[in-house]
Amino acid sequence: MILRPALAAIAAATLLAPALPTPAAAQAMTVEPTGRIELSDMMGRWYEVARVPNQLQNGCTAGASDWTPQPQGQPQGFAVVQSCRKGGPDGKLAVWKARATVADPRTNAKIKMSFFGGVVSQDYVVVEHRREQGWLVLATANGKYLWLMSQRPTLPSGVKSQAVARIRQLGFDVGRLEFPSPGRF
């Protein structure tokens, strides 16, 4: 019976771990935050508007992340529950749980997330946050993956265009972005 959880952890590590660099990715960018984010601004539900494709979210629609603060006395951070529908808006619900801790208290924008009880971890950076428009851009620290997240299930088209333009300005290839269906919330 121990074999099944171990195999699940190995499969998860394979899916969540950054891929080995290819010659084109060898010059991967170093991702840095463009400003400070207040931890209270991370709380609540964030809806996925766009993402760079990745194995774990292949076939996902209606992506969302729910961020809640860790209890008093714990390290500064969050419990994060990520979910999506596999196979369309009415598909099977897939859920991933993570613990996120602030890796840079100066900006609060560098976050280490650990999945599957700490078996897998990944560094993320909030590279842009537009509080007044209700969106942020989260990327892996190596710049390989990126997500445009919104506090509403959809962004107005003009705001989404501004966000995508900002992602391009930050040096990311917006041609790689996919815009999964937001689903019904």
Side-chain angles (χ1 to χ4, degrees), residues 51-115:
R51 67 174 176 249
V52 170
N54 62 77
Q55 275 189 310
L56 190 62
Q57 291 182 294
N58 188 28
C60 274
T61 61
S65 295
D66 294 298
W67 294 66
T68 55
Q70 292 204 56
Q72 289 288 353
Q74 301 246 344
Q76 195 172 33
F78 317 94
V80 181
V81 178
Q82 299 173 315
S83 62
C84 75
R85 296 278 177 184
K86 291 277 191 163
D90 296 321
K92 183 179 178 183
L93 183 66
V95 177
W96 302 271
K97 294 181 181 180
R99 180 149 323 275
T101 55
V102 175
D104 178 12
R106 184 181 54 77
T107 65
N108 292 334
K110 292 184 178 183
I111 300 166
K112 178 176 278 305
M113 293 180 87
S114 45
F115 301 84

Side-chain angles (χ1 to χ4, degrees), residues 61-166:
T61 61
S65 295
D66 294 298
W67 294 66
T68 55
Q70 292 204 56
Q72 289 288 353
Q74 301 246 344
Q76 195 172 33
F78 317 94
V80 181
V81 178
Q82 299 173 315
S83 62
C84 75
R85 296 278 177 184
K86 291 277 191 163
D90 296 321
K92 183 179 178 183
L93 183 66
V95 177
W96 302 271
K97 294 181 181 180
R99 180 149 323 275
T101 55
V102 175
D104 178 12
R106 184 181 54 77
T107 65
N108 292 334
K110 292 184 178 183
I111 300 166
K112 178 176 278 305
M113 293 180 87
S114 45
F115 301 84
F116 309 103
V119 174
V120 177
S121 67
Q122 178 69 50
D123 294 323
Y124 296 89
V125 179
V126 178
V127 293
E128 186 66 41
H129 178 230
R130 298 287 173 95
R131 181 180 192 184
E132 69 285 355
Q133 293 180 325
W135 60 268
L136 62 78
V137 177
L138 184 70
T140 53
N142 64 3
K144 183 172 181 171
Y145 299 107
L146 173 138
W147 295 264
L148 171 58
M149 306 295 288
S150 169
Q151 292 177 308
R152 294 176 299 280
T154 58
L155 281 175
S157 61
V159 174
K160 184 163 61 171
S161 294
Q162 289 176 11
V164 171
R166 180 63 180 140

